Amino acid sequence: QVQLVESGGGLVQAGESLRLSCVSSVRTFRSDTMGWFRQVPGQERDFVASITGTSTYKHYGSSLEGRFTISRDNAKNTLYLEINNVKPKDTAVYYCAEAIGVPDIAVTSEEYDSWGQGTQVTVSS
């Protein structure tokens, strides 16, 4: 059963901004830590960002150059990832994930229980 549905990916021009969305059907969404990961073929899945249930804490992965913003709207059961000034190196499959019952920042794949199908982001130069 699909519990996370992503949208917002696609082909974008370098320099533009992009917002990815992830809608969760998990009942405990409001209290669950959420995260974003991305993966390029031939590479490991990299941590992008994590946010706690009430948005009190946010954490970002290394080498992101400060262009990423994670946020959530609990009234809509939705997680967001904003990417500003997108670059070709941002091209990857982006996954949202939910750490069910976890109230703290989570930065490893093993800490997350539910995953979206992944949405392709391709940035043209």
Short mmCIF file of all heavy atoms in Angstrom, two decimals, residues 80-122:
data_model
loop_
_atom_site.label_atom_id
_atom_site.label_comp_id
_atom_site.label_asym_id
_atom_site.label_seq_id
_atom_site.Cartn_x
_atom_site.Cartn_y
_atom_site.Cartn_z
N TYR A 80 7.51 19.16 2.05
CA TYR A 80 8.03 19.90 0.91
C TYR A 80 9.55 19.93 0.91
O TYR A 80 10.19 19.87 1.95
CB TYR A 80 7.53 21.35 0.91
CG TYR A 80 6.04 21.50 0.89
CD1 TYR A 80 5.34 21.80 2.05
CD2 TYR A 80 5.32 21.36 -0.30
CE1 TYR A 80 3.96 21.96 2.05
CE2 TYR A 80 3.94 21.50 -0.31
CZ TYR A 80 3.27 21.81 0.86
OH TYR A 80 1.90 21.96 0.84
N LEU A 81 10.10 20.06 -0.28
CA LEU A 81 11.52 20.33 -0.44
C LEU A 81 11.65 21.40 -1.51
O LEU A 81 11.27 21.18 -2.66
CB LEU A 81 12.30 19.09 -0.85
CG LEU A 81 13.81 19.31 -1.03
CD1 LEU A 81 14.47 19.60 0.32
CD2 LEU A 81 14.47 18.11 -1.70
N GLU A 82 12.18 22.55 -1.13
CA GLU A 82 12.42 23.62 -2.07
C GLU A 82 13.89 23.63 -2.45
O GLU A 82 14.76 23.58 -1.59
CB GLU A 82 12.03 24.97 -1.45
CG GLU A 82 10.57 25.10 -1.10
CD GLU A 82 10.24 26.42 -0.44
OE1 GLU A 82 11.01 27.39 -0.60
OE2 GLU A 82 9.20 26.49 0.24
N ILE A 83 14.14 23.68 -3.73
CA ILE A 83 15.50 23.76 -4.24
C ILE A 83 15.62 25.07 -5.01
O ILE A 83 14.94 25.27 -6.02
CB ILE A 83 15.84 22.59 -5.17
CG1 ILE A 83 15.46 21.25 -4.53
CG2 ILE A 83 17.33 22.61 -5.50
CD1 ILE A 83 15.65 20.05 -5.44
N ASN A 84 16.46 25.95 -4.53
CA ASN A 84 16.67 27.23 -5.18
C ASN A 84 17.90 27.16 -6.07
O ASN A 84 18.86 26.44 -5.78
CB ASN A 84 16.84 28.33 -4.15
CG ASN A 84 15.61 28.53 -3.30
OD1 ASN A 84 14.50 28.59 -3.82
ND2 ASN A 84 15.79 28.64 -1.98
N ASN A 85 17.87 27.93 -7.15
CA ASN A 85 19.01 27.98 -8.06
C ASN A 85 19.48 26.58 -8.42
O ASN A 85 20.63 26.22 -8.21
CB ASN A 85 20.14 28.79 -7.42
CG ASN A 85 21.30 29.04 -8.37
OD1 ASN A 85 21.13 29.06 -9.59
ND2 ASN A 85 22.49 29.23 -7.81
N VAL A 86 18.59 25.79 -8.96
CA VAL A 86 18.92 24.40 -9.27
C VAL A 86 20.09 24.33 -10.23
O VAL A 86 20.27 25.18 -11.10
CB VAL A 86 17.71 23.65 -9.86
CG1 VAL A 86 16.59 23.56 -8.82
CG2 VAL A 86 17.19 24.32 -11.12
N LYS A 87 20.89 23.29 -10.05
CA LYS A 87 22.08 23.07 -10.86
C LYS A 87 22.03 21.67 -11.46
O LYS A 87 21.36 20.78 -10.93
CB LYS A 87 23.34 23.22 -10.00
CG LYS A 87 23.47 24.59 -9.33
CD LYS A 87 24.72 24.66 -8.48
CE LYS A 87 24.83 26.01 -7.80
NZ LYS A 87 24.97 27.12 -8.77
N PRO A 88 22.74 21.46 -12.56
CA PRO A 88 22.75 20.13 -13.18
C PRO A 88 23.13 19.02 -12.20
O PRO A 88 22.62 17.90 -12.31
CB PRO A 88 23.78 20.27 -14.30
CG PRO A 88 23.66 21.71 -14.71
CD PRO A 88 23.45 22.45 -13.42
N LYS A 89 23.98 19.32 -11.24
CA LYS A 89 24.39 18.30 -10.27
C LYS A 89 23.26 17.89 -9.33
O LYS A 89 23.39 16.92 -8.60
CB LYS A 89 25.60 18.77 -9.46
CG LYS A 89 25.34 19.97 -8.57
CD LYS A 89 26.61 20.37 -7.82
CE LYS A 89 26.39 21.57 -6.91
NZ LYS A 89 27.64 21.93 -6.19
N ASP A 90 22.16 18.64 -9.35
CA ASP A 90 21.00 18.28 -8.54
C ASP A 90 20.18 17.18 -9.20
O ASP A 90 19.25 16.66 -8.60
CB ASP A 90 20.11 19.49 -8.29
CG ASP A 90 20.79 20.56 -7.45
OD1 ASP A 90 21.57 20.20 -6.54
OD2 ASP A 90 20.53 21.76 -7.70
N THR A 91 20.49 16.87 -10.44
CA THR A 91 19.77 15.82 -11.16
C THR A 91 19.89 14.50 -10.40
O THR A 91 20.98 14.02 -10.13
CB THR A 91 20.33 15.67 -12.57
OG1 THR A 91 20.08 16.86 -13.32
CG2 THR A 91 19.66 14.50 -13.28
N ALA A 92 18.74 13.93 -10.06
CA ALA A 92 18.71 12.70 -9.28
C ALA A 92 17.26 12.28 -9.09
O ALA A 92 16.33 13.02 -9.43
CB ALA A 92 19.37 12.90 -7.91
N VAL A 93 17.08 11.09 -8.56
CA VAL A 93 15.76 10.66 -8.13
C VAL A 93 15.63 11.07 -6.67
O VAL A 93 16.47 10.71 -5.84
CB VAL A 93 15.57 9.14 -8.28
CG1 VAL A 93 14.20 8.73 -7.74
CG2 VAL A 93 15.70 8.74 -9.74
N TYR A 94 14.60 11.81 -6.36
CA TYR A 94 14.38 12.29 -5.00
C TYR A 94 13.30 11.46 -4.32
O TYR A 94 12.23 11.22 -4.90
CB TYR A 94 13.97 13.76 -5.01
CG TYR A 94 15.13 14.69 -5.30
CD1 TYR A 94 15.66 14.79 -6.58
CD2 TYR A 94 15.71 15.45 -4.28
CE1 TYR A 94 16.74 15.61 -6.85
CE2 TYR A 94 16.78 16.29 -4.54
CZ TYR A 94 17.29 16.37 -5.82
OH TYR A 94 18.36 17.20 -6.09
N TYR A 95 13.57 11.04 -3.11
CA TYR A 95 12.65 10.21 -2.34
C TYR A 95 12.26 10.92 -1.05
O TYR A 95 13.10 11.48 -0.37
CB TYR A 95 13.30 8.88 -1.96
CG TYR A 95 13.73 8.02 -3.12
CD1 TYR A 95 15.00 8.16 -3.68
CD2 TYR A 95 12.89 7.05 -3.64
CE1 TYR A 95 15.41 7.36 -4.74
CE2 TYR A 95 13.29 6.25 -4.69
CZ TYR A 95 14.55 6.41 -5.23
OH TYR A 95 14.95 5.61 -6.28
N CYS A 96 10.99 10.88 -0.72
CA CYS A 96 10.56 11.31 0.60
C CYS A 96 10.41 10.07 1.47
O CYS A 96 10.16 8.97 0.97
CB CYS A 96 9.26 12.12 0.56
SG CYS A 96 7.79 11.19 0.06
N ALA A 97 10.58 10.25 2.76
CA ALA A 97 10.51 9.13 3.67
C ALA A 97 9.93 9.57 5.01
O ALA A 97 10.07 10.73 5.40
CB ALA A 97 11.92 8.53 3.87
N GLU A 98 9.30 8.64 5.69
CA GLU A 98 8.67 8.92 6.98
C GLU A 98 9.19 7.97 8.05
O GLU A 98 9.19 6.75 7.85
CB GLU A 98 7.15 8.79 6.86
CG GLU A 98 6.39 9.20 8.11
CD GLU A 98 4.92 9.51 7.82
OE1 GLU A 98 4.53 9.51 6.64
OE2 GLU A 98 4.17 9.78 8.79
N ALA A 99 9.63 8.54 9.15
CA ALA A 99 10.08 7.77 10.29
C ALA A 99 8.92 7.68 11.27
O ALA A 99 8.75 8.55 12.13
CB ALA A 99 11.30 8.42 10.93
N ILE A 100 8.14 6.65 11.14
CA ILE A 100 6.92 6.51 11.91
C ILE A 100 7.22 6.33 13.39
O ILE A 100 7.98 5.44 13.78
CB ILE A 100 6.08 5.33 11.39
CG1 ILE A 100 5.73 5.56 9.91
CG2 ILE A 100 4.82 5.15 12.22
CD1 ILE A 100 5.05 4.37 9.25
N GLY A 101 6.64 7.20 14.20
CA GLY A 101 6.84 7.14 15.63
C GLY A 101 8.15 7.72 16.11
O GLY A 101 8.46 7.64 17.30
N VAL A 102 8.92 8.29 15.20
CA VAL A 102 10.22 8.87 15.55
C VAL A 102 10.07 10.38 15.70
O VAL A 102 9.69 11.06 14.75
CB VAL A 102 11.27 8.55 14.49
CG1 VAL A 102 12.60 9.23 14.83
CG2 VAL A 102 11.46 7.04 14.36
N PRO A 103 10.39 10.92 16.88
CA PRO A 103 10.23 12.36 17.10
C PRO A 103 11.49 13.17 16.86
O PRO A 103 11.45 14.40 16.91
CB PRO A 103 9.83 12.42 18.58
CG PRO A 103 10.63 11.29 19.19
CD PRO A 103 10.65 10.20 18.14
N ASP A 104 12.60 12.50 16.59
CA ASP A 104 13.89 13.18 16.46
C ASP A 104 14.37 13.19 15.02
O ASP A 104 13.93 12.41 14.18
CB ASP A 104 14.94 12.50 17.34
CG ASP A 104 14.50 12.35 18.78
OD1 ASP A 104 14.09 13.37 19.37
OD2 ASP A 104 14.56 11.22 19.30
N ILE A 105 15.34 14.08 14.77
CA ILE A 105 15.95 14.15 13.45
C ILE A 105 16.55 12.79 13.09
O ILE A 105 17.20 12.15 13.90
CB ILE A 105 17.03 15.24 13.42
CG1 ILE A 105 16.40 16.63 13.48
CG2 ILE A 105 17.92 15.10 12.19
CD1 ILE A 105 15.62 17.00 12.23
N ALA A 106 16.31 12.37 11.86
CA ALA A 106 16.84 11.11 11.37
C ALA A 106 17.58 11.35 10.06
O ALA A 106 17.04 12.01 9.16
CB ALA A 106 15.72 10.10 11.17
N VAL A 107 18.79 10.82 9.96
CA VAL A 107 19.62 11.12 8.79
C VAL A 107 20.06 9.89 8.02
O VAL A 107 20.73 10.01 7.00
CB VAL A 107 20.88 11.92 9.20
CG1 VAL A 107 20.48 13.23 9.86
CG2 VAL A 107 21.75 11.10 10.14
N THR A 108 19.67 8.70 8.47
CA THR A 108 20.04 7.47 7.77
C THR A 108 18.80 6.78 7.24
O THR A 108 17.72 6.87 7.81
CB THR A 108 20.81 6.50 8.68
OG1 THR A 108 19.96 6.07 9.75
CG2 THR A 108 22.04 7.17 9.27
N SER A 109 18.96 6.07 6.14
CA SER A 109 17.85 5.37 5.52
C SER A 109 17.20 4.37 6.46
O SER A 109 15.99 4.17 6.42
CB SER A 109 18.33 4.65 4.25
OG SER A 109 18.80 5.56 3.29
N GLU A 110 18.03 3.74 7.30
CA GLU A 110 17.54 2.71 8.20
C GLU A 110 16.54 3.24 9.23
O GLU A 110 15.77 2.46 9.79
CB GLU A 110 18.71 2.04 8.93
CG GLU A 110 19.59 1.18 8.03
CD GLU A 110 20.52 1.99 7.14
OE1 GLU A 110 20.65 3.22 7.35
OE2 GLU A 110 21.12 1.39 6.22
N GLU A 111 16.57 4.53 9.48
CA GLU A 111 15.67 5.11 10.47
C GLU A 111 14.27 5.37 9.94
O GLU A 111 13.35 5.65 10.72
CB GLU A 111 16.26 6.42 11.01
CG GLU A 111 17.57 6.24 11.76
CD GLU A 111 18.18 7.56 12.18
OE1 GLU A 111 18.93 8.15 11.38
OE2 GLU A 111 17.89 8.02 13.31
N TYR A 112 14.10 5.27 8.65
CA TYR A 112 12.81 5.55 8.03
C TYR A 112 12.06 4.26 7.68
O TYR A 112 12.64 3.28 7.23
CB TYR A 112 13.00 6.42 6.79
CG TYR A 112 13.43 7.82 7.13
CD1 TYR A 112 14.78 8.14 7.25
CD2 TYR A 112 12.49 8.81 7.36
CE1 TYR A 112 15.18 9.42 7.59
CE2 TYR A 112 12.88 10.10 7.70
CZ TYR A 112 14.22 10.40 7.81
OH TYR A 112 14.61 11.67 8.15
N ASP A 113 10.75 4.30 7.88
CA ASP A 113 9.91 3.12 7.71
C ASP A 113 9.15 3.08 6.39
O ASP A 113 8.89 2.01 5.84
CB ASP A 113 8.90 3.04 8.86
CG ASP A 113 9.55 3.10 10.21
OD1 ASP A 113 10.19 2.11 10.61
OD2 ASP A 113 9.41 4.15 10.89
N SER A 114 8.77 4.23 5.90
CA SER A 114 7.95 4.32 4.70
C SER A 114 8.62 5.24 3.69
O SER A 114 9.16 6.28 4.06
CB SER A 114 6.56 4.84 5.06
OG SER A 114 5.71 4.84 3.94
N TRP A 115 8.58 4.84 2.43
CA TRP A 115 9.24 5.59 1.37
C TRP A 115 8.31 5.85 0.20
O TRP A 115 7.46 5.03 -0.13
CB TRP A 115 10.46 4.82 0.85
CG TRP A 115 11.55 4.69 1.85
CD1 TRP A 115 11.63 3.81 2.87
CD2 TRP A 115 12.73 5.49 1.91
NE1 TRP A 115 12.79 4.00 3.58
CE2 TRP A 115 13.49 5.02 3.01
CE3 TRP A 115 13.23 6.54 1.14
CZ2 TRP A 115 14.72 5.58 3.37
CZ3 TRP A 115 14.44 7.11 1.49
CH2 TRP A 115 15.18 6.62 2.58
N GLY A 116 8.51 7.00 -0.42
CA GLY A 116 7.79 7.30 -1.64
C GLY A 116 8.40 6.54 -2.81
O GLY A 116 9.43 5.88 -2.67
N GLN A 117 7.77 6.63 -3.96
CA GLN A 117 8.23 5.91 -5.14
C GLN A 117 9.43 6.56 -5.79
O GLN A 117 10.10 5.94 -6.63
CB GLN A 117 7.09 5.79 -6.15
CG GLN A 117 6.82 7.05 -6.97
CD GLN A 117 6.11 8.16 -6.21
OE1 GLN A 117 5.70 7.99 -5.07
NE2 GLN A 117 5.97 9.32 -6.85
N GLY A 118 9.71 7.79 -5.44
CA GLY A 118 10.80 8.54 -6.03
C GLY A 118 10.32 9.37 -7.20
O GLY A 118 9.51 8.91 -8.01
N THR A 119 10.80 10.59 -7.29
CA THR A 119 10.45 11.46 -8.40
C THR A 119 11.72 11.98 -9.05
O THR A 119 12.64 12.42 -8.37
CB THR A 119 9.54 12.62 -7.94
OG1 THR A 119 9.16 13.42 -9.06
CG2 THR A 119 10.23 13.51 -6.91
N GLN A 120 11.77 11.90 -10.36
CA GLN A 120 12.97 12.29 -11.10
C GLN A 120 13.04 13.80 -11.25
O GLN A 120 12.09 14.44 -11.70
CB GLN A 120 12.96 11.63 -12.48
CG GLN A 120 14.13 12.05 -13.38
CD GLN A 120 15.45 11.48 -12.93
OE1 GLN A 120 15.54 10.29 -12.64
NE2 GLN A 120 16.48 12.33 -12.85
N VAL A 121 14.18 14.35 -10.90
CA VAL A 121 14.47 15.76 -11.14
C VAL A 121 15.63 15.83 -12.10
O VAL A 121 16.71 15.29 -11.83
CB VAL A 121 14.82 16.51 -9.84
CG1 VAL A 121 15.28 17.93 -10.15
CG2 VAL A 121 13.61 16.54 -8.91
N THR A 122 15.42 16.47 -13.23
CA THR A 122 16.47 16.62 -14.23
C THR A 122 16.67 18.10 -14.51
O THR A 122 15.73 18.80 -14.88
CB THR A 122 16.10 15.90 -15.54
OG1 THR A 122 15.87 14.51 -15.27
CG2 THR A 122 17.23 16.04 -16.55
#
